[in-house]
Each structure stands twice: as structure tokens, then as C-alpha cells.
Amino acid sequence: MGFARDAVTADKFLGGDVMLFQPRNGYRAGVDPVFLAASIAAHAGETVLELGCGVGAASLCLGRRVPGLRLAGVERIAEYADLCEKNAFENSIPLDVHNCDLMRLPAEVKDESFDHVIMNPPYHLRDRGTVAPDPLREAALVEDTPLRDWVDVATKRLKHKGFLTMIQKAERLPEILGAMDDRLGSVLVKPLCPREGRAAVLVLVQARKGGRGAFRLATPLILHDGAEHVGDAESYRPEVSAILREGAAFPLW
């Protein structure tokens, strides 16, 4: 059963180049999937699988920037999967959406290997914080499947030399690195810091299947100018605005 019409909003991403229908009161995509999409060095003709695609924000922003990709998404919440399909159709970006749990992938996904697997797993652990009043928001934000399983499933679905890329809370970086076994290497971590002199809140983490390069800690991406937020005006740095409003790519290194 999908969302009622008055329970959904139409929101602009990439300066309006991508329009997404999202639940008014459920989980709503923000800037995080846009950063994830901007960090993927994909090329036309490559294949991309998104685990936990939600309403399609990351995949569709990536598909708008890089035409000619073959995109697939997995989403276990039926209402979000339905919106993802609608968003792909409305934006004229081909995206195969599979309504399933990532631990029970359909044969057409399990039988394929991908150049890129991308993901924005739930940030919060169930034993921390308060329960969200909306059950679909709670399901999207709070971890049910352990992060280690997300990494394992993603690794299995990668081609040799394919890239796994995720965005996650910085505090969970040790858990992410601990979940990576010797199938993955050439690990790169890029911190996202709210302001100069502030600790990173988010990290982008990328690893390569079969990679043998040394671990790299990249220069942080500073999101906002100024020491603190003043008034209602946005204070994104110009390079960040280019990512959010124009869909610009940025190198993780």
C-alpha cells in the first residue's frame, strides 16, 4: 500500500534537475545521498547497484550526472520502493527497483556483478536514542540488518576491481573498517566536516574489490563557511553548492 497523495511532497534536488516524491512525515532524503552520488567516479556503460535505495535520491542524482549507466536498487520498504519507481519514471532515468531485503536478493541481482555498489545504511543503532513516531521513518533510520552484513552483501555483488562506496556517521568508521575483510582493499576515507575546526560528522568510505593499495585518509570536505550558523541563509561553501545544486562530481582524494 503506497502513500496517499497528500502524504507526499515533490522536492527539488540538483537545482531542480531531479524531482523526488517523498513522504511528508517518513524518511526524507537530504544532502547525504547527493554527496554519495557525487563521489562515484562512474562512466557510461557501467553497472551500479544501490543497497537501501529509499526513494532513489542517490541513484537518480548519479544517473542524471552520468547518462548511460545501468542502475539497480534494492529497497525492503514497499512504500519507498514504489516511490523510487515513480521517481525514476518521472525523471526519465532507467532504474530497476527490487522490493526485497538485502539479505534475500532476487536471482536477477544475485546472478550479476556490478562495477559499483553504493549505499547509505541506517545511521542509528536500535539501542540508542528515542523511537521515531513514524514507523517507516524508524525503519529507514535505525539499523535492523548489521552493518557488517551490508558490507558483505555489497562485496559479493562487486566485480573484481569494482568499487564499494558508502556514506555513514563518522562515529561508526571503526565498525565499517572492521567489517571489511581481505576481499577489499585500497580503502579511502573522506571526512565531511560541518565547519572549519569542527569534527567530522559524516564520512565517505570507498574500497576496491581486489584492491591492494595503502589506506588513505583524504582531505576533509568542509561544508559551511563561518564559525557558526547565522540567520536563515545557507552558508555552503561554493564547491559544496556546486555539488548540491549542479550535481558536480568531486574526487574523494
Side-chain angles (χ1 to χ4, degrees):
M1 181 176 178
F3 293 98
R5 179 172 297 183
D6 61 357
V8 174
T9 63
D11 304 301
K12 294 180 180 180
F13 285 73
L14 307 187
D17 282 346
V18 172
M19 294 289 295
L20 296 181
F21 292 103
Q22 302 196 88
R24 190 180 298 276
N25 297 316
Y27 169 75
R28 295 175 59 79
V31 298
D32 300 3
V34 182
F35 287 129
L36 176 61
S39 72
I40 309 302
H43 304 281
E46 291 187 332
T47 54
V48 182
L49 172 66
E50 183 178 5
L51 300 180
C53 61
V55 300
S59 289
L60 296 177
C61 286
L62 176 58
R64 178 64 76 220
R65 175 169 64 84
V66 187
L69 295 173
R70 191 155 64 82
L71 300 167
V74 169
E75 174 53 52
R76 71 184 177 95
I77 300 173
E79 291 87 345
Y80 293 144
D82 288 344
L83 281 181
C84 187
E85 287 188 323
K86 180 178 179 63
N87 287 332
F89 176 79
E90 294 292 339
N91 286 279
S92 300
I93 300 174
L95 171 60
D96 293 327
V97 183
H98 303 274
N99 177 209
C100 63
D101 191 286
L102 66 90
M103 301 302 293
R104 292 183 291 275
L105 297 176
E108 57 264 43
V109 177
K110 291 182 70 173
D111 291 345
E112 183 169 359
S113 297
F114 296 83
D115 296 293
H116 300 269
V117 177
I118 67 175
M119 56 191 192
N120 181 11
Y123 288 163
H124 306 292
L125 297 173
R126 195 166 295 281
D127 60 353
R128 301 178 189 174
T130 57
V131 176
D134 183 275
L136 293 183
R137 180 175 173 82
E138 172 76 6
L141 292 176
V142 179
E143 181 178 280
D144 185 35
T145 301
L147 193 53
R148 180 175 295 276
D149 289 335
W150 284 75
V151 173
D152 180 62
V153 171
T155 305
K156 289 176 178 176
R157 298 277 56 79
L158 280 172
K159 293 179 179 179
H160 182 63
K161 298 301 183 181
F163 290 95
L164 163 60
T165 310
M166 77 171 81
I167 189 168
Q168 181 57 268
K169 285 282 192 182
E171 65 192 47
R172 302 194 68 185
L173 179 58
E175 186 180 353
I176 295 169
L177 298 178
M180 295 181 177
D181 57 29
D182 59 5
R183 292 172 294 172
L184 297 171
S186 304
V187 178
L188 185 148
V189 175
K190 189 172 185 71
L192 305 183
C193 301
R195 297 180 188 279
E196 195 78 49
R198 301 278 187 89
V201 175
L202 298 171
V203 287
L204 281 157
V205 182
Q206 186 176 87
R208 195 170 195 184
K209 190 169 184 177
R212 294 293 179 262
F215 173 87
R216 290 182 292 170
L217 181 62
T219 303
L221 178 67
I222 309 299
L223 305 186
H224 297 276
D225 281 324
E228 59 184 14
H229 183 70
V230 179
D232 295 327
E234 289 185 349
S235 58
Y236 286 119
R237 289 188 165 192
E239 63 271 26
V240 177
S241 291
I243 294 168
L244 299 179
R245 299 196 179 102
E246 302 166 22
F250 70 96
L252 287 180
W253 57 89

